[in-house]
Amino acid sequence: MNKNIIKKGPDISVYQGIVNMKQVRESGCGTVWLRAGYGKNNVDQKYIPNAQACYNLGIPAGIYWFSYAYTQEMAEKEAEYAIAQAEKFWTSCPIAYDFEYDSTNYARKNGVNVTRKLATDLAIAFLKRVKGAGYIPILYTNNDYTKNYFDISRIRSEVGDIYIWYARYAAAISSGEMQLADAWQHSSTASVPGIVGNVDMNNFYVDFPCRPIARPEGEGTGGAQTAKCNINILDFQKAANADGWKDMNGNRLAEDGMDGPKTQYVRRKIFLKAQRTLFSYKAGSTGAVVKWWQRRCNEILGHNQKVDGMYGKISRSETIAVQQKLGLAVDGIAGYNSIQAAFYN
């Protein structure tokens, strides 16, 4: 049996390092699934910047939580941790329960043998909590776990509608597997622009809804609670205001840490660059935004160029290093895309 592929996209975590989400989107990926965390409220180190980039760029997203649960109470708590992370950006999105071989090994080290009944109980506890919070319950599984660990019929009987994210790295899967899969993770060695190295790639046969938290009027991001304000964006807005930049209505930027249309309008106007001399470069752009950029370069690279607001030879070489590190076009000019990348990396 064949199914229509509605979207394709990677699932990513801290292991992919710094991701240029704009390049991921422009490569044709229609959705991105993110590891929100694992175990007892361990939030993935790249979840917030990855999720915020998806939110700001309008990329539909889902999240997954890698489980180390070996009791139903632990699984339910893991669901609550995942929901808390999802709530920072989306009122509804897929949340997947990811229970794998490392999960069963961890349970054994704690004196618990994971049987088919227990694995099913854990999945039910997690997915019930996800569904009860208004999110979309997803079970991540493979051929072995479907046969030996998860009783999918019982999960559906007790939870109701759930979706299956099926993992098998192959060119094709059987008709039975295809019938089961609402999403198929078919490769762990895919290459995607904006991501350095190999990444998991998925075919999605369901257009999973992803509803972002309402955006404040006049701006374009939002994030609620702890993800509400991106300090990198806030500092840029303050610097742009100090330099006298105005939005499309002739007003100063709201200093709210949100990369909305007005902030985007201003950064489309900004091109920080050095002035070419006969044999080298000297200071060209100057001001508070240059200082902001110099600080961000130092933070991204771990360097210590002088933060003096003078964009000269050193600032140009540091910009090139940042562009190379983040997979951007390399031209030594800090413009729209480079500034955006500095917001989230």
Side-chain angles (χ1 to χ4, degrees):
M1 122 176 230
N2 291 320
K3 289 183 177 178
N4 292 327
I5 300 172
I6 295 175
K7 292 179 179 178
K8 295 183 178 182
D11 57 274
I12 63 177
S13 70
V14 67
Y15 298 111
Q16 278 65 57
I18 296 170
V19 173
N20 186 323
M21 208 65 75
K22 187 169 184 285
Q23 285 189 8
V24 172
R25 181 187 67 182
E26 291 177 350
S27 74
C29 293
T31 190
V32 175
W33 283 14
L34 310 169
R35 187 178 78 158
Y38 56 94
K40 191 176 180 180
N41 208 19
N42 299 294
V43 178
D44 185 281
Q45 295 93 321
K46 291 295 183 182
Y47 169 71
I48 292 297
N50 285 337
Q52 198 157 39
C54 287
Y55 183 94
N56 291 336
L57 293 168
I59 301 171
I63 71 170
Y64 63 98
W65 196 269
F66 191 95
S67 178
Y68 286 106
Y70 49 84
T71 70
Q72 291 171 269
E73 293 76 15
M74 291 171 70
E76 186 170 346
K77 289 298 292 184
E78 287 180 339
E80 291 171 3
Y81 304 142
I83 292 163
Q85 295 307 316
E87 285 176 340
K88 293 176 179 178
F89 301 96
W90 301 285
T91 60
S92 181
C93 70
I95 297 181
Y97 182 60
D98 184 5
F99 190 89
E100 303 185 36
Y101 300 107
D102 280 349
S103 311
T104 57
N105 288 337
Y106 181 78
R108 290 190 188 109
K109 292 173 184 177
N110 285 274
V112 177
N113 183 45
V114 179
T115 63
R116 180 177 174 84
K117 180 182 184 305
L118 177 56
T120 300
D121 288 341
L122 299 176
I124 289 169
F126 184 98
L127 298 172
K128 265 189 175 180
R129 183 69 184 88
V130 165
K131 187 173 183 180
Y135 290 86
I136 301 165
I138 310 286
L139 178 66
Y140 180 81
T141 187
N142 59 26
N143 187 50
D144 179 33
Y145 269 69
T146 301
K147 289 180 178 178
N148 299 312
Y149 287 93
F150 294 132
D151 183 341
I152 294 176
S153 295
R154 184 161 79 85
I155 294 171
R156 285 181 165 148
S157 174
E158 297 195 29
V159 179
D161 290 336
I162 66 163
Y163 294 90
I164 301 298
W165 180 14
Y166 190 80
R168 185 174 181 187
Y169 306 142
I173 54 178
S174 70
S175 60
E177 291 171 305
M178 182 61 75
Q179 184 175 6
L180 179 67
D182 299 297
W184 172 27
Q185 186 186 73
H186 59 82
S187 176
S188 62
T189 58
S191 177
V192 176
I195 300 175
V196 177
N198 294 334
V199 67
D200 296 342
M201 181 56 72
N202 305 275
N203 293 338
F204 296 96
Y205 307 109
V206 174
D207 191 7
F208 296 103
C210 176
R211 293 194 290 272
I213 287 174
R215 302 168 187 264
E217 185 176 355
E219 276 296 356
T221 79
Q225 303 167 20
T226 60
K228 181 192 239 180
C229 175
N230 182 320
I231 299 299
N232 294 329
I233 298 173
L234 174 64
D235 288 345
F236 170 82
Q237 291 165 334
K238 290 179 179 179
N241 285 336
D243 283 345
W245 290 97
K246 305 294 184 183
D247 67 19
M248 67 283 280
N249 300 316
N251 299 319
R252 288 164 53 89
L253 292 176
E255 296 177 0
D256 56 9
M258 299 178 183
D259 187 28
K262 295 177 182 178
T263 298
Q264 292 168 17
Y265 175 87
V266 167
R267 60 185 171 89
R268 283 192 184 94
K269 303 292 184 182
I270 294 176
F271 298 92
L272 306 179
K273 58 185 178 180
Q275 183 177 339
R276 183 69 186 265
T277 66
L278 185 58
F279 299 109
S280 186
Y281 290 89
K282 65 179 183 180
S285 303
T286 62
V289 175
V290 173
K291 286 185 177 180
W292 173 84
W293 177 255
Q294 290 169 328
R295 283 193 296 270
R296 289 300 296 128
C297 286
N298 286 342
E299 291 163 355
I300 292 168
L301 298 171
H303 293 177
N304 60 351
Q305 71 166 308
K306 186 176 181 180
V307 179
D308 58 4
M310 307 287 287
Y311 197 102
K313 180 180 178 180
I314 293 175
S315 291
R316 181 178 183 275
S317 65
E318 293 293 277
T319 297
I320 289 172
V322 166
Q323 290 171 333
Q324 290 172 334
K325 181 173 182 177
L326 301 185
L328 301 165
V330 177
D331 58 9
I333 299 171
Y336 185 88
N337 290 335
S338 295
I339 292 170
Q340 176 178 266
F343 286 168
Y344 304 110
N345 293 287

